[in-house]
């Protein structure tokens, strides 16, 4: 599980693999500033995370390992 705390309302979160393929999309209608997304189905590796808020899109990378 991955916890994202943006400090502002989150509209959506997109997970991409190292090749840029979308492996998960999460949309939030209640626009909370802190959300959790499930990553247990993802194989170990490096992923990009795009977080869309009212102020823009923020991108970061994370590594998943068991």
């Amino acid at each position: 599980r991955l916890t994202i705390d943006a400090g502002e309302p989150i509209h959506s979160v997109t997970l991409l693999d190292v090749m840029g393929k979308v492996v998960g999309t999460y949309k939030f209608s209640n626009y909370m500033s802190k959300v959790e997304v499930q990553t247990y189905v993802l194989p170990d590796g490096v992923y990009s995370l795009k977080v869309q808020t009212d102020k823009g899109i923020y991108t970061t990378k994370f590594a998943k390992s068991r």
Side-chain angles (χ1 to χ4, degrees):
R1 168 179 357 186
L2 183 67
T3 302
I4 303 160
D5 188 352
E8 57 189 271
I10 297 172
H11 296 280
S12 67
V13 173
T14 304
L15 298 174
L16 300 101
D17 67 12
V18 72
M19 300 300 288
K21 179 182 173 188
V22 174
V23 294
T25 301
Y26 304 87
K27 296 187 186 263
F28 304 98
S29 59
N30 53 359
Y31 302 128
M32 299 184 323
S33 63
K34 185 176 182 179
V35 297
E36 288 186 351
V37 295
Q38 298 300 324
T39 59
Y40 66 90
V41 296
L42 299 174
D44 291 353
V46 176
Y47 295 88
S48 293
L49 178 72
K50 290 186 178 183
V51 179
Q52 182 177 357
T53 70
D54 285 336
K55 295 182 181 178
I57 298 174
Y58 302 93
T59 305
T60 191
K61 291 185 178 181
F62 71 96
K64 190 217 179 225
S65 62
R66 297 188 197 272

